Amino acid sequence: MQLRATHKQVMEWKKDMTAEEWAALTVIVPGSQTARSENATVQYFARLFGESTGEGRRVVYAESLWDEEKALRLLGTMRLDGKLAEAVFGDRFRMYRDFLADGARAAIDDILAPE
C-alpha cells in the first residue's frame, strides 16, 4: 500500500513537470542504517528511473538524516564529488567508495592467501 500511494503521488507530481525536469529529478530517501539494504523506496525509484544499482545518479539514500536541509547538503556534496570523480578518475561514482578500497582488496587477498 505504501509503494502504491508513493507511486500515485509521484505520478501526480510528474504531470506538472517538463520532460527535462523529470529527467533531471533526483530523489533523496531518508532512512535508518538498518533499513538501507534493499530499501523499498530506493528500489521503487531506482526501477522508475531505470537505475540498475538502486542508489546512484538519481536516487540518494540519506542515512539517519531526518532534517531536509542536511539531506540537501548531502545531495550537493554527492553531486560535487561526482563531478570531481569524473574529472580525476573518469568514474563519477569513484568517490562513493573508500579511496583505499582497491589497495585494501589486494592487501587482504595477500594477507588471507593460503600458505
Side-chain angles (χ1 to χ4, degrees):
M1 288 175 44
Q2 175 189 354
L3 290 173
R4 288 185 190 284
T6 298
H7 182 64
K8 182 178 179 184
Q9 182 61 60
V10 170
M11 292 300 102
E12 286 297 315
W13 289 331
K14 184 178 179 183
K15 289 178 187 175
D16 296 329
M17 300 174 78
T18 66
E20 293 79 21
E21 289 171 327
W22 179 256
L25 181 66
T26 299
V27 174
I28 302 171
V29 179
S32 65
Q33 177 185 13
T34 55
R36 182 179 196 127
S37 180
E38 299 185 61
N39 178 278
T41 306
V42 170
Q43 286 186 59
Y44 165 75
F45 282 109
R47 295 270 302 275
L48 182 66
F49 295 151
E51 299 279 327
S52 61
T53 60
E55 294 179 72
R57 189 178 61 83
R58 297 181 64 191
V59 182
V60 174
Y61 190 85
E63 186 174 296
S64 300
L65 289 181
W66 308 109
D67 180 270
E68 183 177 349
E69 185 177 320
K70 289 179 182 177
L72 289 172
R73 259 189 260 137
L74 171 66
L75 177 60
T77 298
M78 293 180 79
R79 286 189 171 165
L80 180 61
D81 285 353
K83 290 178 182 179
L84 172 66
E86 181 70 38
V88 175
F89 301 107
D91 174 5
R92 75 175 283 110
F93 297 106
R94 179 60 183 92
M95 298 295 286
Y96 300 157
R97 57 189 183 94
D98 190 328
F99 187 73
L100 299 175
D102 298 335
R105 192 175 302 104
I108 293 167
D109 287 347
D110 185 54
I111 292 166
L112 299 179
E115 294 184 30

